[in-house]
Amino acid sequence: MSAAAGFPGSWKPNAASSVPLFEQLRLQVIHLADGGKLPPGTRLPAVRALAESLDVAPHTVARAYKELEAAGVVATRGRNGTVVCARDERLGGLSEAAAAYAAAAKAQGASFAEAVQLLAAAYDGG
């Protein structure tokens, strides 16, 4: 597990954006992980080091890491730091949640289309 070579590179969050800085960082890590530029097992920089290189508060990086961990994108492993998880590891919990949702929708008599419509509304926050 080596440190992310060059991460974050020349990328910097856009302070003028309406998207919060932690969210910009979270999305960037997901983008790089999904694109293979941060392969599974890659160790991300320590919170303070990344905050310094991005010129943001440590709390901003800590929040992004916390949300990435909650989503299963990364795992914090004590002295080994924060590492990128494999995509199939991330989606394992989501697959279980989908199975539970499908079972609940069927049990309540919802059609597939109705279940998808409800999921889409929930996904879009509405």
Side-chain angles (χ1 to χ4, degrees), residues 61-105:
V61 175
R63 179 159 179 198
Y65 278 15
K66 181 180 177 183
E67 294 203 7
L68 287 163
E69 186 166 22
V73 176
V74 301
T76 301
R77 299 190 176 147
R79 289 181 178 255
N80 291 327
T82 301
V83 297
V84 176
C85 295
R87 186 169 175 80
D88 50 346
E89 282 180 54
R90 286 181 14 214
L91 297 180
L94 190 56
S95 179
E96 291 171 18
Y101 174 68

Side-chain angles (χ1 to χ4, degrees), residues 11-92:
W11 181 84
K12 299 276 187 207
N14 179 356
S17 172
S18 63
V19 177
L21 298 176
F22 79 90
E23 179 68 3
Q24 291 178 46
L25 176 57
R26 186 186 75 82
L27 292 170
Q28 178 68 4
V29 171
I30 290 170
H31 172 74
L32 294 173
D34 285 351
K37 292 186 175 144
L38 286 176
T42 300
R43 186 171 158 189
L44 296 179
V47 168
R48 288 181 193 265
L50 185 56
E52 189 175 307
S53 78
L54 294 176
D55 197 26
V56 297
H59 135 90
T60 298
V61 175
R63 179 159 179 198
Y65 278 15
K66 181 180 177 183
E67 294 203 7
L68 287 163
E69 186 166 22
V73 176
V74 301
T76 301
R77 299 190 176 147
R79 289 181 178 255
N80 291 327
T82 301
V83 297
V84 176
C85 295
R87 186 169 175 80
D88 50 346
E89 282 180 54
R90 286 181 14 214
L91 297 180

